[in-house]
Amino acid sequence: LGSRPTLTSRLKQATMKAVILALALGGADALRATPRMGLLSGLFGGNKGTILTESPAGKKQDFLEASPYWDQSTVPVNTFKNKSPYTAKVVSCKRIVGPEATGETCHIIFDHKGNMPYWEGQSYGVIPPGTNPKNGKPHTVRLYSIASSRYGDNMAGKTSSLCVRRATYWDPDMGKEDPAKKGVCSNFLCDATAGEQVKMTGPTGKVMLMPEEKADTDYIMVATGTGIAPYRGFIRRLFTETTPAGEAYKGLAWLFLGVANSDALLYDEEWQAAKSKFPDNFRVDYALSREEKNKKGGKMYIQDKVRCGVAQSL
């Protein structure tokens, strides 16, 4: 990637000019995520379910690019709509939270056969089966940020991934979870099995697209829980895959992730691999609300970690 500024100088520049600041949140209980688990190549069986941690030798991910690669005029939007959704197949669905994480988060890979292209930062809509018991009408679409790059986890360009937390409700009077109040779509997705068909819409959204025209753009990414999804696509594009954007990149990508504890870290192995390979261009900081204290002695939340990180870099 050629000559690059030192990490210290890049941090100072990033915090002073604040080129990009994006906040992504998970569900209502967003501080429940995933552990330092082996969510890497080989965890999900089969080629389409493989999560590659680097480009295959001699291969580049450049076959789904615009010309030039940073041109956003051809970004796909609303290819499939509510009345005519695309039917994708589940490749794999795996629980990726540790035993000490409250709640359940799943990484789900879908096969779209290359018919539902998307860009990093976009969302898919999912239409769960069945009808709404309140009105008897089919369930409406739910939006989920896509958690993979446009090339998919196996880098073949025909799959996509979602990071979904199962929505449940604990009834204090019952002393247990009330199944009547569980999230319809999140439970459908977290219960999905390989081969199951899922009706999907989209992709939608242009707000979270990466501004790639300037290769020295700094990305400050702030997320809690499953809000990490779009940033995983960003980071894989820049540091895991061999893409035109990644080869040209000279900026700093700084990720802040807030979770409950160290057993709830989402995709930690992927972040550590990127940090090891590109120490001057990628930084990650965690806010562990149940394990760390802020300067005032309270719980360490994401905003506290951002303040701390900025102060240390100046």
Side-chain angles (χ1 to χ4, degrees), residues 76-268:
V77 178
N78 294 324
T79 308
F80 294 92
K81 299 178 174 60
N82 294 6
K83 293 183 178 180
S84 55
Y86 181 77
T87 301
K89 284 189 177 182
V90 174
V91 175
S92 58
C93 175
K94 298 291 182 179
R95 174 188 169 102
I96 54 173
V97 291
E100 298 303 318
T102 53
E104 179 181 14
T105 301
C106 295
H107 184 84
I108 309 161
I109 301 177
F110 302 88
D111 180 11
H112 60 72
K113 302 184 183 300
N115 297 323
M116 202 174 187
Y118 58 92
W119 285 18
E120 299 76 17
Q122 291 191 294
S123 300
Y124 273 160
V126 176
I127 303 176
T131 58
N132 187 332
K134 294 182 179 180
N135 57 25
K137 297 181 180 180
H139 287 300
T140 56
V141 66
R142 273 74 162 179
L143 291 178
Y144 293 90
S145 293
I146 300 171
S148 52
S149 81
R150 68 190 71 181
Y151 294 100
D153 287 344
N154 69 347
M155 303 186 190
K158 296 184 178 181
T159 66
S160 58
S161 301
L162 297 181
C163 179
V164 179
R165 184 185 183 279
R166 186 189 296 273
T168 59
Y169 173 74
W170 179 269
D171 189 317
D173 295 328
M174 296 173 60
K176 61 179 181 180
E177 292 181 355
D178 185 350
K181 298 180 180 179
K182 67 180 182 180
V184 173
C185 197
S186 66
N187 279 268
F188 163 64
L189 291 173
C190 289
D191 289 335
T193 57
E196 190 164 356
Q197 295 185 339
V198 178
K199 292 183 179 180
M200 308 184 79
T201 65
T204 61
K206 291 185 178 181
V207 175
M208 288 283 287
L209 296 179
M210 300 170 68
E212 297 178 328
E213 184 171 359
K214 295 183 178 180
D216 62 348
T217 296
D218 298 316
Y219 297 95
I220 301 176
M221 301 166 284
V222 185
T224 59
T226 55
I228 197 67
Y231 303 141
R232 180 174 182 263
F234 291 6
I235 294 166
R236 287 182 66 84
R237 178 167 174 79
L238 293 176
F239 305 118
T240 304
E241 302 164 346
T242 305
T243 64
E247 291 182 316
Y249 191 61
K250 295 179 175 63
L252 171 72
W254 191 352
L255 173 65
F256 291 90
L257 173 60
V259 295
N261 52 41
S262 56
D263 198 35
L265 289 173
L266 277 160
Y267 307 112
D268 177 62

